Amino acid sequence: MSTETAAPDSAEPPVPDRVPWQRQAWAFAERHLRVLVRSPMIIFLAVGWPLAWYVLTVSVFLPGDAGAFALGSVAVSYAFFGSFTVVVAVFAGAFAGDLDGGRYRKFRSLPIAPSADLAGRFVAALVLAVFSHAVVLAVAFATGARFEPRLAAIGLVPLTLLSFCVVAVALSLVLGAVVSKPEYMTTIGIVLALIAYYTTGFNGTQPGMIADDPWFVNVLPNSLATRQQLYALFDGDFTDTGVLPPELPSGIEFVGLTGAYVVVGLAVSILLVRRVAYGGDPL
């Protein structure tokens, strides 16, 4: 008599393997990139909005004989202005939309790594921010601005843009968790970008407009990143340009501060995604 027994009909089906972290992150990035590139409003915020400000400034507020440095410094300040606007509007809006639409209730039931969700969303926002930044600088170059990058530009340009975007993402997550109404995020992003821009003297490019000793422009994340990029992209004399004082943040201590903003911004972002989105806890 055979001793083999059939498996019971009630046997549990095998549990599927967890999707690799990289595939999860790419799925979120791809999803958000598809949404972003199809939105006329987002494309306007990324390209049209900062370019409109740049053209208005150089046409109305700068003298006709403004030099290449003046045009370049205005371009750098508006390049960061555009990056900040689009990251806050896009990231906060998408996050608030997923919270408000109940998508995270579904995500919590799936084997999704919160860090993969955050990484994917950040990559999508970073791609748009880099594109916005590059377009403004390219248009400025085509209209007379000239850049004389130092060797330090190889590391400082990507580091400053990364730091700027990480801080914007952390702020976006706070806004998305508190406001939770995606339809308000574009307006809030624009208002915050304008406040940061003007209260730091055009992102630190004209600090004399706000204080006699504006030391804080070398500390605050938006003006610190802008002034470091000015130092990296212009190897020349900054006397009588309005950029000084204080001296540009070229020391290693300022590079460390920029890196610290990246670390702190990532930590805050991961905490908020874990607690607010995937933990269900209140902020």
Side-chain angles (χ1 to χ4, degrees), residues 123-276:
V123 167
L126 183 62
V127 167
L128 205 60
V130 170
F131 175 72
S132 174
H133 201 87
V135 167
V136 175
L137 295 185
V139 170
F141 183 81
T143 55
R146 290 295 178 266
F147 305 100
E148 300 175 1
R150 305 171 191 260
L151 183 60
I154 297 174
L156 271 181
V157 170
L159 175 63
T160 52
L161 189 53
L162 175 65
S163 171
F164 198 82
C165 290
V166 167
V167 170
V169 164
L171 176 61
S172 300
L173 290 172
V174 173
L175 290 174
V178 172
V179 179
S180 72
K181 292 297 180 182
E183 60 269 22
Y184 300 150
M185 290 306 167
T186 298
T187 301
I188 291 175
I190 291 173
V191 170
L192 287 177
L194 287 170
I195 291 174
Y197 182 77
Y198 284 110
T199 57
T200 54
F202 301 163
N203 274 349
T205 58
Q206 295 294 314
M209 298 180 61
I210 53 176
D212 294 331
D213 182 23
W215 57 269
F216 50 87
V217 295
N218 282 347
V219 176
L220 297 178
N222 65 307
S223 52
L224 171 63
T226 304
R227 289 170 65 81
Q228 282 181 309
Q229 198 162 121
L230 282 180
Y231 171 79
L233 294 178
F234 297 95
D235 188 3
D237 186 7
F238 291 91
T239 306
D240 299 326
T241 62
V243 175
L244 309 178
E247 290 296 323
L248 288 177
S250 58
I252 190 64
E253 67 274 16
F254 294 108
V255 176
L257 179 59
T258 303
Y261 278 128
V262 174
V263 173
V264 173
L266 286 175
V268 171
S269 299
I270 292 172
L271 176 64
L272 286 172
V273 168
R274 286 183 178 278
R275 292 196 59 194
V276 177

Side-chain angles (χ1 to χ4, degrees), residues 62-83:
L62 288 185
D65 59 349
F69 174 83
L71 294 174
S73 64
V74 170
V76 171
S77 69
Y78 280 125
F80 276 110
F81 173 75
S83 297

